[in-house]
Amino acid sequence: MKTVPLSAAQRLLVEAFKDASRGGLTTVTYTPKHMCIPRAYWGDADNAALANTGNLVSITGNSLVINSVNNGLTLSAGDLISLTTGSYNSLVRVQTGAIAASNAMTITVEPTVPSYITAGAIVTFKNPVANMRVMPGSFSIPDDFLPVATFTLVEIPK
């Protein structure tokens, strides 16, 4: 991860985040802001199709069957979605997309869905989330004017 150049106030917030992460001992819920909605909805983030979460019906290899979605929901290659079972979150990237019909769709994703995500998981299309931890020793903020902070996040189960 790399921040934008930080003002003094922003630097304090990033340093507070660093302290709160406790050197990688605390789980951080991460939402990628560069890809927070599927590509088909860029410029239409309030589309009703994104308001509903889906239900993961089955996982076969990297193929997912999802139901309880709005007809017409469109997912394309490269879109990010999240899968949630209890307090476990995982972020996956769509490889082969689909358009929902009969309130269901089948897509393929990478990476392979982890074993802690099971059928019945909630599928989030808008503002997907993943459980992450800061890699110990990876945080860096130079003592410059408008510094850029860098750190590494690693996905974890919960």
Side-chain angles (χ1 to χ4, degrees):
M1 305 299 295
K2 184 176 181 180
T3 68
V4 296
L6 302 169
S7 67
Q10 291 169 321
R11 180 186 179 121
L12 292 175
L13 292 174
V14 171
E15 287 175 339
F17 167 76
K18 176 186 176 213
D19 294 343
S21 71
R22 298 183 57 224
L25 296 176
T26 302
T27 300
V28 175
T29 303
Y30 168 73
T31 298
K33 294 301 178 189
H34 68 290
M35 285 288 299
C36 57
I37 60 173
R39 187 170 26 138
Y41 302 97
W42 290 358
D44 190 15
D46 294 324
N47 190 294
L50 299 173
N52 291 333
T53 55
N55 177 56
L56 182 60
V57 176
S58 67
I59 306 166
T60 306
N62 287 38
S63 179
L64 309 181
V65 176
I66 304 167
N67 71 7
S68 300
V69 297
N70 288 19
N71 288 331
L73 173 69
T74 303
L75 297 178
S76 305
D79 292 339
L80 295 174
I81 62 172
S82 62
L83 309 169
T84 302
T85 299
S87 59
Y88 295 95
N89 294 303
S90 184
L91 191 65
V92 295
R93 185 177 305 276
V94 175
Q95 299 299 305
T96 304
I99 298 174
S102 300
N103 301 105
M105 63 189 338
T106 301
I107 60 173
T108 58
V109 299
E110 284 291 340
T112 301
V113 175
S115 61
Y116 50 83
I117 299 295
T118 58
I122 296 168
V123 183
T124 304
F125 308 105
K126 182 177 181 178
N127 296 320
V129 296
N131 290 342
M132 303 277 201
R133 289 203 179 167
V134 174
M135 179 71 78
S138 69
F139 228 105
S140 173
I141 304 177
D143 286 331
D144 296 334
F145 179 69
L146 298 175
V148 172
T150 59
F151 54 93
T152 301
L153 291 176
V154 178
E155 187 171 358
I156 59 152
K158 70 179 201 176

